[in-house]
């Protein structure tokens, strides 16, 4: 079918509607962007942390690269090349104060890594000083940064630095002397890093700062290895050539030994396998941890028995949430029924009684339950006074699962009553009367006629209560003791206390997946269209 | 990290307006984060009010110290640090320092000398834990007991916790391994000097948990400092561990039938850190505040309001009477010679390494 201008009708209609759709989109755009930016993005970011593991390869790039060849199956610790790379990486990490962060990260996987990295931080800098001292002893020329700059820096840059003061504004960016990269390759690479760090991070005057010890180790490497010194005609040629001659007889550093002297753990297989296992940018380690497993050289394996906790907690969270949801249905259904069947005036009054605790602070309500439930609390005192329980045999109602179930059922009850009430209000009383006039007993009329119509309310209430329950952590923390706590309590611990956000995110992701799975199952079995909030 | 950065950047962009405001931080305002309650009040009286009077800087109190580490990390990642000075326990300060979230402090140039000219590094001595922490007080986790519920022979040593024959009834302990594991080993016959060596081994950890298992059914586990005082006051437990300042207020200010067992008290430190990422002006002001608030006189002043010991050696002789009750505070300090005959100093290095590992085992032990 064609429109008046000859284009297909469908196409022309779409064109006409597009403008309308755009306008509608523009109207909701502020909200959409707001939700995306303030809600979806942070959650996505948090969940992404459950697999993110860039810190290892970012802090130790050369080490992790050279570890690729290392045979983890063997019994040999990595060779000298790896330790030399480690010295390089650690040196920069220490200058940027990143090494302790990495130690903290790896300490989640292997106890002792935090102090190993913290302790090494103070001493790695000393390793390179062996070369620095020898160069400086050879010729005082090597002592000052000014001399280094005079041959490493380009003439333009040197001219622009001449007479520069902090008050003049931005420090002219270091420019390398042309051809230097061929003459002293390793030194150039190190020096560029040093210059960039000094100028940008430290905000110091590069011209008057003395170079890092690692620059001297690189120079030693260049002078004793491959270099382009033969054709060198730039400044300081004499000093460099003299140093090259002397460098061959310098005392050398064995990096492997040097690290062993810092801490004998550096020759420990566990340390190296942990670094290797956690060197990829993405890791499944957090998720494995969240299901009581751990990553090892041979792949995933179960954690030792005395460290398994999350499986128990997930199971307990699900089980207790189901119990709480069922308790809410049992208690909420009659209340909602009474509310729906009373005259409006009384119903409103009762509704306020339902809502009143809803408006009270969660902490206040939970603490009130503490007063009621504890051993010397109101309920036990009353029971003792009535002679129902003996005074030395009081009921344990708090700091266990009973406490959590009682307090949470009470706290979540309004979420069950309100949807039930609004659904029951729409059920015509005439249906019940019709059923009875056709000979049904009270029970049959209720069970066959009334109850099926109230199921959407139960569905809505159950979803609300269940989903709220599995994410609760304040109430279980206060009244749950040890066997009434939920998985959320561990998530809270990892987010705010242990700072293991990756593990917290993995636990959260599993919880989210479990909820979505249950929601999907509910939709398949009951049908989400059958859920009514009013 | 790229995705993270993009997301963070977009978040930051939308709240840019809000950021501009908070970053603008009026020159005469600073936000100081602490624990709230009586502790913050003592800081207000001893530090904030005199500092405001002297400099005209308005001090805003924030009571988020319990979540300081995670909040600072989040602020730092978002590039918007709104706190100027933060009160944290030493173990958190060590962690913040490791994470690069706290500024390194040179005690000798950035903290005040003692009145007699002693350098700050010497005046604070061993209490300078890590490179970022500025100690303020010494507090202890110790045990209080109900005098009317323990019979004729009140407990005198820490092992009373494990002695359910002599002292039947519930006891409250903190829901974390730190402190409890040390006490358990001590009462299991391990030499005090060998406790951390033992805890570093699988067998030692198991031994401590086994000892705790003997009283597992009698323990109420607490996580907030106010829990034990409340449990003691209600008669829910006959003894329990908590911070000495809480017990002081229960005994002296509220006159409850409770007494303190100073034996094997676990010393811990609380103090300041300055977050990284502050603008130069804010950083300079924070340092100025710290210089003032941690000098000898100010630390001694704080002890008038709360029973925590000043972290400087030079402050100890200046500790006077309680500001309202008029009683001598010295004898209520955890550092008083009568109280500190047998003490533990929280081993920061050890717990920084073993915290995650032992906590996992401790929690697994708890749920089973």
């Amino acid at each position: 079918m064609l429109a008046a201008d000859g284009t297909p009708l469908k196409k022309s209609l779409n064109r006409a509607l597009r403008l309308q759709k755009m306008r509608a989109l523009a109207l909701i755009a502020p909200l959409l962007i707001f939700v995306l930016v303030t809600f979806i993005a942070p959650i996505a970011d948090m969940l992404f942390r459950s697999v993110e593991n860039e810190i290892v390869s970012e802090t130790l790039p050369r080490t992790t690269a050279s570890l690729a060849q290392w045979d983890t199956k063997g019994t040999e610790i990595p060779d000298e090349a790896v330790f030399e790379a480690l010295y390089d990486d650690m040196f920069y990490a220490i200058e940027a104060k990143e090494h302790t962060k990495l130690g903290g990260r790896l300490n989640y996987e292997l106890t002792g890594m935090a102090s190993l990295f913290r302790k090494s931080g103070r001493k790695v800098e000393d390793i390179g000083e062996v070369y620095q001292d020898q160069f400086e002893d050879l010729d005082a020329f090597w002592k000052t940064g000014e001399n280094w700059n005079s041959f490493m820096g380009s003439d333009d840059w040197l001219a622009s630095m001449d007479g520069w003061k902090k008050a003049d504004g931005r420090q002219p960016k270091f420019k390398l002397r042309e051809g230097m990269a061929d003459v002293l390759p390793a030194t150039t690479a190190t020096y560029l890093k040093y210059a960039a760090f000094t100028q940008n991070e430290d905000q110091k005057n590069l011209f008057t700062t003395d170079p890092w010890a690692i620059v001297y180790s690189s120079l030693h490497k260049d002078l004793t290895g491959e270099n382009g010194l033969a054709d060198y005609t730039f400044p300081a040629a004499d000093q460099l050539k003299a140093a090259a001659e002397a460098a061959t007889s310098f005392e050398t550093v064995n990096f492997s030994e040097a690290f062993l002297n810092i801490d004998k753990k550096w020759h420990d297989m566990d340390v190296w396998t942990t670094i290797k296992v956690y060197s990829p940018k993405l890791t499944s380690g957090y998720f494995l941890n969240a299901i009581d497993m751990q990553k090892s050289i041979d792949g995933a394996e179960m954690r030792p028995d005395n460290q398994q906790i999350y499986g128990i907690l997930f199971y307990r969270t699900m089980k207790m949430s189901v119990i709480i949801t069922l308790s809410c249905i049992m208690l909420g259904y009659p209340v909602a029924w009474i509310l729906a069947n009373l005259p409006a005036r009384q119903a409103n009054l009762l509704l306020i009684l339902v809502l009143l605790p809803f408006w009270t602070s969660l902490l206040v309500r939970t603490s009130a339950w503490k007063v009621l439930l504890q051993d010397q609390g109101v309920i036990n005192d009353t029971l003792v006074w009535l002679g129902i329980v003996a005074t030395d045999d009081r009921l344990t109602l708090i700091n266990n699962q009973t406490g959590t179930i009682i307090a949470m059922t009470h706290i979540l009850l309004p979420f069950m009553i309100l949807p039930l009430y609004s659904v029951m209000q729409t059920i015509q009383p005439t249906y019940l009367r019709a059923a009875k006039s056709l000979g049904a007993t009270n029970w049959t009329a209720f069970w066959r006629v009334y109850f099926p119509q109230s199921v959407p309310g139960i569905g809505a209430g159950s979803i609300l209560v269940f989903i709220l329950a599995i994410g609760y952590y304040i109430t279980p923390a206060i009244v749950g003791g040890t066997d009434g706590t939920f998985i959320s309590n561990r998530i809270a611990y990892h987010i705010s206390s242990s700072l293991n956000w990756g593990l917290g995110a993995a636990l959260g992701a599993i919880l989210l997946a479990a909820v979505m799975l249950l929601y999907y199952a509910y939709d398949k079995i009951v049908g989400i269209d059958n859920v009514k909030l009013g | 990290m790229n995705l993270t950065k993009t997301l963070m950047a977009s978040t930051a962009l939308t709240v840019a307006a809000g950021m501009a405001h908070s970053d603008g931080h009026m020159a005469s305002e600073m936000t100081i984060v602490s624990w709230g309650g009586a502790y913050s009040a003592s800081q207000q009286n001893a530090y904030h009010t005199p500092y405001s009077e002297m400099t005209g800087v308005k001090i805003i109190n924030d009571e988020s110290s319990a979540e300081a580490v995670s909040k600072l990390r989040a602020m730092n990642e978002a590039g918007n640090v709104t706190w100027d000075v933060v009160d944290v326990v030493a173990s958190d300060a060590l962690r913040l320092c490791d994470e690069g979230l706290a500024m390194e402090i040179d005690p000798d140039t950035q903290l005040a000398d003692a009145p007699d000219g002693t350098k700050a590094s010497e005046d604070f001595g061993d209490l300078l834990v890590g490179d970022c922490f500025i100690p303020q007080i010494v507090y202890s986790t110790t045990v209080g007991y109900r005098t009317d519920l323990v019979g004729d022979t009140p407990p005198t040593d820490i092992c009373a916790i494990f002695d359910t024959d002599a002292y039947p009834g519930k006891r409250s302990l903190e829901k974390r391994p730190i402190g409890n594991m040390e006490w358990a080993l001590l009462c299991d016959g391990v030499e005090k000097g060998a406790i951390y060596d033992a805890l570093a081994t699988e067998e030692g950890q198991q031994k401590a948990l086994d000892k705790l298992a003997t009283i597992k059914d009698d323990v109420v586990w607490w996580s907030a400092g106010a829990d034990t005082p409340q449990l003691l006051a209600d008669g829910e437990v006959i003894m329990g561990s908590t911070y000495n300042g809480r017990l002081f207020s229960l005994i002296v200010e509220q006159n409850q039938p409770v007494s303190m067992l100073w034996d094997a008290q676990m010393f811990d430190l609380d103090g300041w850190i300055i977050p990284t990422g502050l603008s130069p002006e804010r950083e300079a002001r924070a340092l100025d505040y710290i210089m003032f608030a941690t000098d000898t006189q100010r630390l001694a002043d704080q002890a008038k309001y709360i029973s925590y010991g000043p972290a400087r050696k030079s402050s100890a002789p200046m500790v006077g009477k309680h500001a309202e009750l008029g009683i001598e505070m010295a004898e209520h300090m955890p550092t008083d010679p009568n109280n500190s005959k047998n003490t533990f100093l929280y081993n920061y290095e050890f717990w920084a390494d073993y915290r995650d590992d032992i906590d996992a085992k401790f929690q697994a032990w708890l749920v089973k």
Side-chain angles (χ1 to χ4, degrees), chain A residues 49 54 100 115 305 376, chain B residues 1 77 98 236 353 368:
Chain A
R49 282 167 199 267
E54 289 188 353
T100 46
S115 66
D305 255 355
Q376 311 292 327
Chain B
M1 201 51 123
E77 285 190 9
D98 278 359
E236 282 287 300
D353 275 349
K368 271 167 190 157

Side-chain angles (χ1 to χ4, degrees), chain B residues 36-197:
Chain B
Y39 188 60
S40 278
S42 73
Q43 291 176 329
Q44 180 71 40
N45 287 323
Y47 314 147
H48 303 352
T49 311
Y51 186 74
S52 293
E53 274 168 16
M54 194 176 77
T55 58
V57 172
K58 191 180 158 214
I59 291 175
I60 300 163
N61 284 299
D62 187 323
E63 301 183 348
S64 309
S65 279
E67 307 98 57
V69 184
S70 54
K71 283 197 173 178
L72 266 177
R73 192 200 240 187
M75 282 185 191
N76 200 281
E77 285 190 9
N80 181 26
V81 179
T82 58
W83 294 346
D84 295 281
V85 178
V86 188
D87 191 295
V88 287
V89 291
S91 54
D92 282 346
L94 201 65
R95 203 170 266 249
L96 286 166
C97 207
D98 278 359
E99 290 268 325
L101 299 171
M103 202 178 122
E104 284 184 16
I105 297 285
D106 174 17
D108 286 346
T109 57
Q110 289 171 314
L111 300 178
D113 295 344
D116 63 0
T118 312
K119 286 281 169 203
S121 57
E122 205 179 303
D123 204 10
F124 284 112
D126 298 340
L127 307 188
L128 288 160
V129 177
D131 299 325
C132 308
F133 181 63
I134 308 143
Q136 191 187 147
I137 55 145
V138 177
Y139 71 96
S140 78
T141 305
T142 185
V143 172
Y145 58 89
R146 279 283 293 241
T147 46
D148 54 342
L149 297 177
V150 291
D152 301 331
T153 47
T156 51
D157 77 299
I158 193 70
C159 298
I161 298 179
F162 298 94
D163 192 351
T164 44
D165 293 334
Y167 305 104
K170 296 225 163 169
R171 40 270 274 144
S172 61
L173 292 174
E174 190 171 6
K175 201 176 184 175
R176 65 171 193 176
I178 300 167
N180 297 330
M181 302 286 271
E182 285 101 322
W183 286 338
L185 284 183
L186 190 70
C187 294
D188 205 30
V190 178
E191 279 293 311
K192 198 169 139 189
I195 281 180
Y196 286 105
D197 290 336

Side-chain angles (χ1 to χ4, degrees), chain A residues 299-313:
Chain A
E301 60 183 33
M302 288 308 285
R303 272 180 183 272
D305 255 355
N306 66 348
Q307 288 173 39
Q308 294 185 11
I309 176 169
Y310 299 114
I312 300 173
L313 283 178

Side-chain angles (χ1 to χ4, degrees), chain B residues 280-347:
Chain B
E281 303 85 61
R282 283 173 64 196
E283 190 179 298
R285 200 181 42 212
L287 282 167
D288 187 56
Y289 171 84
I290 289 293
M291 175 79 105
F292 171 83
T294 60
D295 73 8
T296 303
Q297 183 61 48
R298 247 45 64 182
L299 289 186
D301 283 352
Q302 195 193 10
K304 281 190 219 159
Y305 305 98
I306 201 150
S307 66
Y308 294 128
R312 277 180 187 264
K313 292 185 194 91
S314 61
S315 299
M318 296 161 81
V319 170
K321 290 192 161 86
H322 192 283
E324 282 151 26
L325 300 170
I327 52 167
E328 281 295 340
M329 288 302 278
E331 59 188 273
H332 295 284
M333 294 290 162
T335 42
D336 187 74
N338 277 326
N339 300 335
S340 56
K341 284 175 194 146
N342 182 23
T343 62
F344 267 105
L345 180 59
Y346 184 135
N347 189 330

Side-chain angles (χ1 to χ4, degrees), chain A residues 47-113:
Chain A
L47 291 183
F48 180 62
R49 282 167 199 267
S50 58
V51 290
E52 200 245 55
N53 187 46
E54 289 188 353
I55 181 167
V56 183
S57 53
E58 254 174 28
T59 316
L60 304 176
R62 275 165 294 261
T63 313
T64 47
S66 53
L67 266 184
Q69 278 96 41
W70 177 55
D71 176 22
T72 51
K73 296 273 184 289
T75 50
E76 292 282 302
I77 55 156
D79 58 12
E80 176 70 8
V82 174
F83 278 98
E84 197 179 340
L86 179 69
Y87 166 69
D88 267 26
D89 289 336
M90 281 292 277
F91 197 96
Y92 300 122
I94 290 158
E95 290 299 329
K97 300 198 174 55
E98 295 284 342
H99 65 297
T100 46
K101 237 187 249 187
L102 178 66
R105 159 70 186 94
L106 290 174
N107 201 58
Y108 297 135
E109 316 302 341
L110 183 68
T111 299
M113 293 295 249

